[in-house]
Amino acid sequence: MFILTVVFFFLNIPLLMTNFIDPKCFWRVNLNEVTDKDLSITCSFILEAVQMPTEKDYFNQSLNILKTTKNHKYALALAFSIDEINRNPDLLPNMSLIIKYPLGLCDGQTTLPTPYLFNEIYFRPIPNYFCNEETMCTFLLTGPHWITSYSFWIHLNIFLSPSFLQLTYGPFHSTFSDNEQFPYLYQMNPKDTSLALAMVSFLLYFKWNWVGLFISDDDQGNQFLSELKKESKIKEICFAFVSMLAIDESSFYHKTEMYYNQIVMSSTNVIIIYGKTDSIIELSFRMWESPVIQRIWVTTKEMNFPTSKKDLTHDTFYGTLTFLHSHGEISGFKNFVQTWYHLRSTDLHLVMPEWKYFNYEASASNCKILKNYSSSASLEWLMEQTFDMVFSDGSQDIYNAVYAMAHALHEMNLHLVDNQAIDNGKGASSHCFKINSFLRKTHFTNPLGDKVIMKEREILQEDYNIFHTWNFSQHIGFKVKIGKFSPYFPHGRHFHLYVDMIELATGSRKMPSSVCSADCSPGYRRFWKEGMAACCFVCSLCPENEISNETNMDQCVNCPEYQYANTKRDKCIQKNVMFLSYKDPLGMTLAFIAFFFSALTAVVFWVFVKHHDTPIVKANNRILSYILITSLLFCFLCSFFFIGHPNRATCILQQVTFGIVFTVAISTILAKTITVVLAFKVTNPGRRLRNFLVLGTLNYIIPICSLFQCILCAIWLAVSPPFVDIDEHTEHGHIIIVCNKGSVTAFYCVLGYLACLALASFTVAFLAKNLPDTFNEAKFLTFSMLVFCSVWVTFLPVYHSTKGKVMVAVEIFSILASSAGMLGCIFAPKIYIILMRPERNAIQKIREKSYF
């Protein structure tokens, strides 16, 4: 276990070192104003190798001349590199690298080289080293702008080729990628093969998907734009605008207002700058009266963004995020400058008047202290502090170029010694051919720990350090390394940010947002209108019973069958099962009413049985009265089949019981009505109608009518019987369990048959309305049928306008109302006489009333 722990610890050392050592903070000081002309200055050098050591006076003379140039940082980087190689006994022994042309074409002149300049340079004697021997191959180091290097190559190819080998520093340019057209030219800065991926990964980390682009309108810019579009399309990143800026400065000045309006009017907060456009944007900042408010600039070069007209504050400027090639730390550069110029560390700004960076301890807490203190401190305080000096990208390229020359020469010398070869070539041309063959195959690790492979400069995937640059004023700036990109990081995690350093640089762990459309929260889906970019969309609420439980979903998802969407439409909730139960207030009320009328009907039945010998009970056909009361009791009781959890048995019993018991009740009323009519119409005992009464033919009305209804119910059950149904849509969030009628036609046939019986009863009773009152209950039967028909005629529209358990309640109410109407209209007067006016229930009173 201990061994595994130790192994794990050592395997993770690089990651630990990355987390705690890699982040750095820097300061820079610039005491001079940067003019528009300074942004286009070139700086080129001509170098040779001589077979003798350098003299101190020569190097002092070169540096004293170079000290006055505008791009002094490149000259110092060159001098430092040459001095380091010349002092190395293992590299180019007995040989020295020298600057053949002391002015180094780095005096601030922007004119391109001419044939006369080359003649002056090439034939000018080297101080203290001029001799009459054949000239060796000369190295031309040009940059930082590609057009300058190209101009040098054209003139070299015409006048001096192949006496020169040319190495360029500055941004990589695809023009020089053709080895057949440029066989003696090498670019030290690698191609940005992984820059597009690095930038897209960076944008994704901060969830930026809406960016603007300023790209130079050249081959290099177009190639980068193509790669960026390819990576952005995969990651759904869109461009608010793409401005291809011409390099021609004369056309730029006429368009600066257009560029300014384009930035200000755009909704994006992030703008990527690539190519030579960085100098154009810098010029723009110096021309614009007011700064571009609240923008994040992502660049590949360190830019001097604060204007000379107005300092910028955190309220108006977010700073610059720069992607720079990752390099090892250089040591000894500050001591070199101090030694050659005999300066104290506090006077280094006199040697390098442009912006320069100072390396501080790699601790976020210490950086924060330094930033907080120095932001309010004076410039004099900053000058008194002791910091280290670092190389820029251009200086790093010069450093690698000089070492590449030295290694190529060294390998060629070793090859000649090993093979005891004799150089039979004539002049510098033969010498350059040989060196070129070795230079193309050169690969080495420089003293900084960086691998340099000359053959793979175009395909090598580089690491990038990401810096956040902030300017406190026109002279003081602060730079923090906030992250690193490397395609070689394990587990496919190419991107690593230092959160503490981001907070230090920006004041917050959260960067400003830059999106075309705000994220669609759960419950919404993305909707694109015609002509919209992929990142620009409208958030639309999910349709009913559909949800989206993630951000930025394109489609909403239907909830499962027994679930429903909540009001926010972001999750499905289990539906509550609902039916007309006894616990429900409505069900409880209807059950109580049904029970009450059932009990009342039982009481009526008991009263009639108890007084079965009284005239009023006998006079109204006692048997039919008993059948009617019993059928009404079952009418009330059948209501209980509609209340409670439905099942197959109750669903069938609901409709069958309802149809049959109501048929018995109405057919009984029909029989009673016919009996009353016949009793008064048949006055002659010999008439045929009297035989119906004597023989009891009317007693068959009830079974015949009921049998027909039973046949209808049997057909109903055979064809499409009632069943338990689930209603998921009537009431939101609930599953209503109801009894489906099965065959709606059969249901209405049952109701229609009942309606026919009721209408027949009503008609017959209406015809008997003028009969004597003593034995006439026809008017009560008429009124009861009127109530019955009114209830069920009202039932139909109300029933169809309701859903769920309310529909069931309407049917129960109709059953109870019609049954109660028949009970009250027919038996209430009789119960009143039996219980309240018993004197009227005597035969003598009936005869007296009949007589009068």
Side-chain angles (χ1 to χ4, degrees):
M1 183 66 183
F2 174 78
I3 295 175
L4 291 176
T5 304
V6 172
V7 171
F8 178 82
F9 174 80
F10 280 103
L11 286 176
N12 283 273
I13 283 181
L15 183 59
L16 294 173
M17 296 296 288
T18 299
N19 288 337
F20 294 99
I21 296 179
D22 232 358
K24 299 188 184 304
C25 55
F26 304 85
W27 279 91
R28 63 180 180 180
V29 175
N30 183 25
L31 297 181
N32 298 339
E33 289 290 341
V34 179
T35 63
D36 300 347
K37 186 177 180 181
D38 294 337
L39 298 172
S40 58
I41 290 177
T42 63
C43 199
S44 303
F45 309 92
I46 298 177
L47 308 178
E48 279 191 356
V50 295
Q51 296 181 349
M52 59 187 68
T54 58
E55 296 183 3
K56 186 175 182 180
D57 292 340
Y58 159 77
F59 216 58
N60 276 336
Q61 179 184 0
S62 300
L63 287 178
N64 286 334
I65 296 175
L66 292 173
K67 184 171 65 176
T68 62
T69 64
K70 293 291 183 182
N71 282 339
H72 198 154
K73 58 184 176 182
Y74 298 134
L76 283 177
L78 177 64
F80 173 75
S81 305
I82 293 176
D83 181 68
E84 193 173 68
I85 292 174
N86 291 342
R87 292 175 179 273
N88 188 349
D90 298 325
L91 188 61
L92 286 181
N94 301 322
M95 294 189 71
S96 299
L97 293 177
I98 60 172
I99 303 175
K100 181 176 181 181
Y101 190 51
L103 290 179
L105 302 180
C106 195
D107 56 356
Q109 301 297 322
T110 60
T111 55
L112 296 177
T114 63
Y116 305 102
L117 177 63
F118 277 105
N119 288 333
E120 180 185 356
I121 294 172
Y122 190 68
F123 297 108
R124 184 171 180 169
I126 303 173
N128 301 326
Y129 295 103
F130 182 77
C131 58
N132 294 324
E133 296 181 3
E134 288 186 343
T135 305
M136 300 180 68
C137 182
T138 302
F139 296 93
L140 181 62
L141 185 61
T142 60
H145 304 307
W146 76 274
I147 191 65
T148 304
S149 300
Y150 182 78
S151 300
F152 270 107
W153 170 261
I154 294 299
H155 288 88
L156 284 174
N157 196 38
I158 295 175
F159 297 100
L160 300 177
S161 178
S163 301
F164 276 78
L165 291 179
Q166 184 176 353
L167 291 87
T168 69
Y169 67 96
F172 180 92
H173 202 280
S174 58
T175 301
F176 302 132
S177 299
D178 190 348
N179 291 330
E180 293 183 1
Q181 185 179 356
F182 303 97
Y184 306 110
L185 187 146
Y186 297 87
Q187 297 187 83
M188 298 311 301
N189 200 309
K191 183 180 180 181
D192 295 322
T193 54
S194 58
L195 178 61
L197 177 60
M199 285 192 172
V200 169
S201 301
F202 184 75
L203 295 175
L204 286 177
Y205 180 88
F206 291 107
K207 299 181 180 179
W208 294 332
N209 64 5
W210 189 240
V211 298
L213 298 180
F214 278 113
I215 298 179
S216 57
D217 191 8
D218 52 18
D219 293 340
Q220 185 181 7
N222 289 324
Q223 184 172 359
F224 171 75
L225 178 61
S226 176
E227 294 174 356
L228 188 64
K229 284 183 175 179
K230 180 180 178 181
E231 295 293 339
S232 300
K233 185 177 181 180
I234 298 174
K235 304 299 183 181
E236 295 186 354
I237 294 176
C238 305
F239 304 135
F241 61 85
V242 179
S243 291
M244 306 299 293
L245 304 187
I247 305 302
D248 183 12
E249 292 186 3
S250 61
S251 62
F252 157 75
Y253 284 102
H254 300 290
K255 297 181 179 180
T256 179
E257 184 176 355
M258 179 187 71
Y259 298 145
Y260 178 83
N261 293 332
Q262 191 172 35
I263 296 172
V264 173
M265 297 302 293
S266 174
S267 59
T268 180
N269 286 327
V270 178
I271 298 176
I272 296 176
I273 304 173
Y274 182 83
K276 199 179 178 182
T277 57
D278 49 12
S279 60
I280 293 178
I281 300 300
E282 288 186 60
L283 291 176
S284 300
F285 265 84
R286 290 170 175 78
M287 295 173 61
W288 295 333
E289 293 291 338
S290 59
V292 179
I293 298 176
Q294 294 182 335
R295 295 294 186 270
I296 300 172
W297 302 85
V298 181
T299 71
T300 56
K301 287 185 63 178
E302 296 171 351
M303 302 170 64
N304 302 326
F305 262 156
T307 79
S308 58
K309 299 178 181 180
K310 182 178 180 181
D311 292 342
L312 302 177
T313 65
H314 277 287
D315 295 333
T316 59
F317 194 70
Y318 284 139
T320 308
L321 296 167
T322 309
F323 283 73
L324 301 177
H325 291 290
S326 179
H327 302 298
E329 293 186 17
I330 193 169
S331 60
F333 184 51
K334 183 182 70 173
N335 294 333
F336 170 80
V337 176
Q338 289 181 253
T339 300
W340 283 106
Y341 288 91
H342 308 289
L343 296 173
R344 298 176 303 162
S345 60
T346 55
D347 297 329
L348 286 175
H349 64 280
L350 300 175
V351 180
M352 302 181 68
E354 72 284 332
W355 293 88
K356 66 180 184 294
Y357 294 84
F358 302 98
N359 188 1
Y360 195 65
E361 184 180 351
S363 169
S365 58
N366 289 336
C367 285
K368 186 174 183 180
I369 295 173
L370 178 64
K371 178 184 177 182
N372 292 339
Y373 181 77
S374 303
S375 60
S376 58
S378 63
L379 185 61
E380 289 75 13
W381 175 88
L382 186 61
M383 292 303 178
E384 294 176 358
Q385 308 307 307
T386 302
F387 300 106
D388 291 332
M389 302 174 64
V390 296
F391 271 175
S392 64
D393 266 5
S395 300
Q396 189 72 40
D397 292 340
I398 293 174
Y399 185 79
N400 288 334
V402 175
Y403 266 91
M405 301 175 199
H407 279 279
L409 289 170
H410 186 79
E411 290 297 324
M412 187 188 71
N413 292 339
L414 292 178
H415 177 76
L416 294 176
V417 171
D418 292 341
N419 293 277
Q420 298 180 351
I422 300 176
D423 186 6
N424 295 323
K426 300 297 182 180
S429 298
S430 174
H431 195 242
C432 279
F433 278 124
K434 293 179 181 178
I435 296 179
N436 185 56
S437 63
F438 283 95
L439 184 60
R440 191 165 298 278
K441 297 182 291 184
T442 297
H443 58 89
F444 60 93
T445 301
N446 65 18
L448 309 183
D450 299 333
K451 291 183 178 181
V452 180
I453 305 175
M454 300 299 292
K455 188 178 181 179
E456 299 182 1
R457 302 307 285 169
E458 295 184 24
I459 61 176
L460 192 65
Q461 289 186 311
E462 289 288 304
D463 298 345
Y464 290 93
N465 290 328
I466 304 166
F467 295 92
H468 179 275
T469 306
W470 175 255
N471 301 288
F472 286 112
S473 68
Q474 299 175 18
H475 302 293
I476 302 177
F478 188 69
K479 185 177 81 167
V480 176
K481 181 179 177 180
I482 64 171
K484 184 173 184 178
F485 172 87
S486 174
Y488 307 106
F489 279 162
H491 310 300
R493 301 180 64 180
H494 304 318
F495 197 70
H496 182 73
L497 286 181
Y498 313 113
V499 179
D500 293 340
M501 303 304 281
I502 294 177
E503 184 177 8
L504 169 68
T506 64
S508 172
R509 290 175 179 259
K510 185 178 180 181
M511 295 287 279
S513 174
S514 183
V515 294
C516 179
S517 300
D519 290 337
C520 290
S521 58
Y524 292 82
R525 65 181 179 90
R526 295 191 296 182
F527 173 74
W528 284 269
K529 294 182 179 179
E530 186 177 356
M532 276 187 168
C535 305
C536 303
F537 46 82
V538 178
C539 295
S540 176
L541 185 66
C542 288
E544 187 177 357
N545 207 40
E546 293 185 12
I547 66 163
S548 61
N549 53 8
E550 295 180 4
T551 303
N552 290 338
M553 289 188 65
D554 295 337
Q555 296 293 334
C556 299
V557 181
N558 284 315
C559 286
E561 185 177 1
Y562 297 109
Q563 294 181 348
Y564 71 98
N566 63 348
T567 54
K568 294 183 178 180
R569 311 286 172 84
D570 58 357
K571 64 179 179 179
C572 292
I573 302 176
Q574 192 70 31
K575 290 183 177 179
N576 295 324
V577 177
M578 180 183 292
F579 53 89
L580 190 61
S581 66
Y582 292 101
K583 296 181 180 179
D584 188 279
L586 182 59
M588 187 182 301
T589 302
L590 293 174
F592 175 77
I593 295 173
F595 177 79
F596 171 78
F597 279 106
S598 299
L600 184 61
T601 305
V603 171
V604 171
F605 184 79
W606 176 79
V607 170
F608 264 61
V609 172
K610 184 177 180 180
H611 299 86
H612 66 282
D613 290 329
T614 60
I616 197 168
V617 175
K618 290 179 178 181
N620 293 284
N621 198 326
R622 183 169 49 191
I623 300 301
L624 292 179
S625 297
Y626 290 162
I627 294 174
L628 179 58
I629 294 173
T630 304
S631 62
L632 289 177
L633 176 61
F634 281 105
C635 286
F636 289 120
L637 292 176
C638 79
S639 301
F640 290 100
F641 287 128
F642 292 84
I643 305 174
H645 195 293
N647 54 60
R648 186 174 183 182
T650 56
C651 287
I652 294 175
L653 290 175
Q654 282 179 9
Q655 308 306 326
V656 173
T657 305
F658 160 72
I660 293 176
V661 297
F662 265 88
T663 300
V664 173
I666 297 175
S667 61
T668 302
I669 293 175
L670 178 60
K672 287 175 69 67
T673 306
I674 294 175
T675 301
V676 172
V677 172
L678 291 179
F680 284 93
K681 291 294 183 181
V682 184
T683 57
N684 187 358
R687 297 186 61 178
R688 184 185 303 177
L689 291 176
R690 183 175 180 84
N691 295 331
F692 287 98
L693 294 175
V694 175
L695 298 175
T697 306
L698 298 177
N699 294 333
Y700 294 102
I701 294 177
I702 298 174
I704 291 174
C705 295
S706 300
L707 178 62
F708 189 78
Q709 185 70 284
C710 289
I711 293 173
L712 285 178
C713 291
I715 296 173
W716 184 2
L717 296 179
V719 175
S720 180
F723 59 91
V724 179
D725 194 12
I726 296 176
D727 184 2
E728 304 171 1
H729 310 290
T730 300
E731 192 166 345
H732 180 72
H734 294 85
I735 298 176
I736 302 176
I737 302 177
V738 294
C739 287
N740 191 297
K741 298 292 189 295
S743 174
V744 179
T745 303
F747 173 69
Y748 285 115
C749 286
V750 171
L751 286 183
Y753 181 68
L754 290 175
C756 292
L757 291 178
L759 185 61
S761 300
F762 176 78
T763 303
V764 175
F766 181 78
L767 295 176
K769 65 180 186 300
N770 295 322
L771 297 177
D773 292 341
T774 304
F775 295 101
N776 187 11
E777 64 174 350
K779 60 180 179 181
F780 301 124
L781 297 176
T782 303
F783 191 67
S784 67
M785 288 298 97
L786 182 62
V787 172
F788 179 87
C789 293
S790 300
V791 169
W792 288 102
V793 168
T794 308
F795 160 79
L796 291 175
V798 176
Y799 182 78
H800 285 288
S801 63
T802 56
K803 297 291 183 181
K805 65 178 184 179
V806 179
M807 178 186 287
V808 179
V810 169
E811 190 170 358
I812 296 174
F813 180 80
S814 299
I815 292 173
L816 296 177
S818 59
S819 301
M822 288 188 291
L823 180 66
C825 293
I826 297 174
F827 294 100
K830 297 177 177 59
I831 295 299
Y832 174 77
I833 293 174
I834 294 172
L835 298 180
M836 305 302 296
R837 304 291 296 272
E839 68 279 3
R840 295 180 57 183
N841 196 18
I843 189 65
Q844 184 66 29
K845 290 292 183 181
I846 294 175
R847 288 178 179 176
E848 291 178 359
K849 188 173 182 180
S850 300
Y851 176 77
F852 289 107

